[in-house]
Amino acid sequence: MIKIAIDTGGTFTDYTSVGCLGDQPEQRIALKNPTNHDHPAQGILAGLKELAMVWGTDLEKLLAQTEKISLGTTLALNALLEKKGVKTALFTTAGFRDALEIRRAQLANQWDLAIENPMVLVPRRLRLGIEQRMDYQGQIIKPLNEAAVRAACQKCREAEVKAIAVCYLFSFLNPEHEKRTAEIIREELPQVFVSLSAEVSPRIREYERTTTTVINAYCTPVLADYLKNVKKELAAFGWDQPIHIMKNSGGLSDSGALENFGVKTLLSGPAGGAVGNEALGKALGRTHTVLADMGGTSFDLHVVSGGVNQLVPQTELDGYPLSIPMIDIRSIGAGGGSIAHVEAGGRVLIGPDSAGSIPGPACYNQGGEQPTVTDALLVLGLINGDNFLGGKLPLSMDQAVKAIKEKVADPLNLSVQDAARIIYSITAEMMADAMRLVTTQKGNDPRIYSLISAGGAFGLFAARIMESLQMPEALIPVQGPVFCSWGMLGAACRYDINQSILMEKRCWDAKRLNTMVAAMKAEGTVQLERLGVEKSRQCFDLMLEMRYVSQHHEISVPWTLGEFSPGSITDVEQAFYKTHEAIYEYAEDKEWEIIDLHLACSERDQENILFPSSKAISRVTNKIVAGEVFNCQGEIAVPVYQAGDLKKPINGPALIDFAYTTLIVPHGFYCICEDEGIFALRKEATDEPTN
């Protein structure tokens, strides 16, 4: 049987597949296609048909031999970033309708008084106060005014609202009022999507919980329509099983469950890369790795320290706080399609706007007129215009030159080559700065981290980043251009449960903790079984979200010692101190408290299968390129190798072509085969034989 994983990115959609078709030997096949933004479900279907052709069959027969389809998508994220979600209303406790606008009454940059906050997703006229109140222990002190709920529904009907977020004070301790409100909304407005904070983010902090619930309401209908269309398209070819969706937490769930929780898929594609980052590090014995994924639209970074992925309880995306467990992934607008432009003062900026896949960079010759990073790479001779995207999309040098000349070179009174070098250098520095944000600025020494090259474009910048941060090596997997979808192949089914508890040290109650954890495990068991995970393969990992009393933010403390007892208070305290010291390099003997419990319910014994490198040895050719990129002067001739040529170390300057990417080996660097389908780029080979 076959497993298929699909990652729909902003520019390209990646497909990976492993398994056996009938009695044939096992195959490992990957491909890339431009993303169809106008008709995303049809775009996926077209890519699957092409995948079936590579397998030597048609789509119906391929799906009949497929046991699992995993999907990562940027659809919910794009709806948020582009402000293309549905018209949303907010029902909240009377007197608190402006929480979204007041935020935390803090500036993101205290020195910038003109800074703009992100757009409020719900206008004030649709933020409706409902009379009701719970106290801090979840006790009802004012009953729900059901007439007010029905009146609010009438306003939503008149405004043609498509989704309603419901977020009441302390509903994470007692969801009774939110659940009753949802029942009334479904009676009054059966076609409107309802998002409850007690289901989306049952955690302390009103503003963050409200924002998360609103984003879920705003984006989920867009995702739900997409998933329904994908299932409909696949059903026409005989697929009647669930589609597994990648979540922000690095686990898989089925499309039926996530049709109500779009906020859990905002970073689903990059989360697949994070899973692959951990898996590749374990396969190669690297405990400290940084995944650098440069695609067509963005540059994504993910760090693994100690060999295991760590989730953060809260993060921020496009200025909006999200109070749900997520893998910590950082992104900047520095992809191959990022547009270069010149400001009035002569400063060159790259991104964040992207040309996407259609019309795409000017060199795609599909009507795009803006110069992009890809255009600069083509002009510099760093990519093969005849073999781009595996030969499916020939590039136009003339269009690339024209765009760079008109938009960058002429305004700066430079040659096209010099303008292209500037675009390349600025892009490289932007990525190096982003790398410093996730390493040195967090106390992580980049000199002990292996850099993993992913995405179709990062191999062209890997050596520059290595040199800038003094990193020891860059690892280039054959599956790097489709790394996120490859990571999904080994992702486990997962169900995360959060429950606020608010327990100070002086109020230690082991029985209460055990009761709550037992209930959470029971729920997790049911959900894993629904996803087809047998009890023998179920795994439960408990995290205590803890902080010092009066501290603003909590940290995640792993708990591996089973049930709690009265004496467990000492072990919990020591675990908290140890974790705090590991993160902040200090710990104090002060009062602490447990804020939330987070139980990760997952499937054990999953693995990522490495893809082999090409066996064919090709004739080495030579190419004229910009020498500056290779630590040389002027234009130089460099040999161009294929991945199958790497039977011995290759010293720079050189270019190595893979199926969907190219690797630069500058002067003073060498590349060697490290493992099956994994190549290593290192500096100054001293004890390795030379070619």
Side-chain angles (χ1 to χ4, degrees), residues 274 277-279 281-282 285-291 301-311 327-328 435 437-450 452 471 558 579 582-583:
N277 186 11
E278 179 184 332
K282 288 180 178 177
R286 306 310 199 266
T287 58
H288 291 71
T289 58
V290 180
L291 176 68
L301 290 167
H302 171 255
V303 176
V304 169
S305 297
V308 179
N309 270 322
Q310 299 291 339
L311 269 64
I327 291 178
D328 193 10
M435 190 77 69
L437 287 175
V438 300
T439 54
T440 54
Q441 290 198 19
K442 287 196 168 185
N444 300 317
D445 186 351
R447 294 173 296 181
I448 66 171
Y449 283 82
S450 296
I452 296 179
M471 303 179 82
T579 305
I583 297 173

Side-chain angles (χ1 to χ4, degrees), residues 492-508:
C493 290
R494 177 171 175 141
Y495 183 78
D496 290 274
I497 308 173
N498 284 87
Q499 183 63 57
S500 284
I501 184 170
L502 305 178
M503 180 184 294
E504 293 186 24
K505 175 183 176 180
R506 60 186 177 82
C507 300
W508 175 257

Side-chain angles (χ1 to χ4, degrees), residues 611-678:
F611 275 46
S613 58
S614 170
K615 303 298 182 184
I617 305 297
S618 62
R619 182 174 61 88
V620 177
T621 59
N622 285 284
K623 189 174 187 179
I624 303 298
V625 298
E628 179 183 308
V629 177
F630 293 83
N631 296 335
C632 301
Q633 298 297 319
E635 291 191 338
I636 61 172
V638 300
V640 182
Y641 299 90
Q642 303 299 314
D645 297 328
L646 272 71
K647 303 303 179 186
K648 59 180 181 179
I650 291 177
N651 287 62
L655 283 170
I656 303 173
D657 271 346
F658 294 80
Y660 293 106
T661 190
T662 301
L663 175 67
I664 288 177
V665 185
H667 176 71
F669 286 74
Y670 71 98
C671 185
I672 189 172
C673 184
E674 182 74 8
D675 204 333
E676 180 184 18
I678 309 292

Side-chain angles (χ1 to χ4, degrees), residues 99-297:
L100 284 181
E101 205 139 18
I102 296 172
R103 297 167 60 85
R104 284 288 174 191
Q106 295 174 334
L107 292 173
N109 181 352
Q110 63 178 325
W111 310 113
D112 186 357
L113 300 180
I115 194 170
E116 292 186 12
N117 287 323
M119 185 185 89
V120 179
L121 298 177
V122 182
R124 195 169 193 271
R125 61 188 175 82
L126 293 177
R127 302 198 298 263
L128 306 171
I130 306 295
E131 291 182 359
Q132 63 80 224
R133 196 64 181 266
M134 301 278 181
D135 67 11
Y136 72 99
Q137 293 179 322
Q139 301 297 317
I140 298 174
I141 56 177
K142 181 181 288 188
L144 176 67
N145 186 335
E146 297 190 5
V149 176
R150 296 187 189 277
C153 287
Q154 177 59 30
K155 290 183 179 180
C156 292
R157 183 184 294 110
E158 294 169 357
E160 298 182 346
V161 163
K162 302 298 181 184
I164 298 174
V166 183
C167 187
Y168 295 147
L169 291 182
F170 299 108
S171 61
F172 57 89
L173 294 175
N174 183 348
E176 180 183 330
H177 285 175
E178 285 195 359
K179 289 182 176 180
R180 178 54 187 153
T181 298
E183 291 174 356
I184 296 172
I185 293 173
R186 292 181 180 120
E187 291 172 10
E188 298 285 336
L189 304 168
Q191 302 303 316
V192 170
F193 173 70
V194 183
S195 175
L196 302 183
S197 75
E199 296 175 350
V200 175
S201 179
R203 308 178 67 187
I204 194 173
R205 293 197 178 92
E206 173 207 359
Y207 167 60
E208 288 79 3
R209 184 161 46 93
T210 303
T211 300
T212 306
T213 308
V214 166
I215 290 174
N216 190 62
Y218 185 73
C219 298
T220 297
V222 177
L223 177 70
D225 287 345
Y226 163 70
L227 294 178
K228 289 175 184 176
N229 288 335
V230 170
K231 288 192 288 185
K232 180 180 177 181
E233 295 283 357
L234 293 181
F237 291 86
W239 182 261
D240 59 358
Q241 302 177 53
I243 299 173
H244 288 78
I245 310 298
M246 194 71 192
K247 300 191 296 182
N248 307 324
S249 62
L252 295 170
S253 188
D254 65 330
S255 55
L258 292 180
E259 283 177 351
N260 293 317
F261 297 102
V263 72
K264 296 181 180 181
T265 71
L266 290 171
L267 295 178
S268 71
V275 174
N277 186 11
E278 179 184 332
L280 192 63
K282 288 180 178 177
L284 298 177
R286 306 310 199 266
T287 58
H288 291 71
T289 58
V290 180
L291 176 68
D293 186 350
M294 184 182 184
T297 303

Side-chain angles (χ1 to χ4, degrees), residues 70-81:
S70 302
L71 175 64
T73 175
T74 59
L75 206 71
L77 176 62
N78 290 342
L80 175 63
L81 298 181

Side-chain angles (χ1 to χ4, degrees), residues 280 452-454 475-481 483 610 658 661 677-679:
L280 192 63
I452 296 179
S453 174
L475 301 172
I476 301 92
V478 168
Q479 68 273 19
F483 197 82
L610 296 177
F658 294 80
T661 190
I678 309 292
F679 302 95

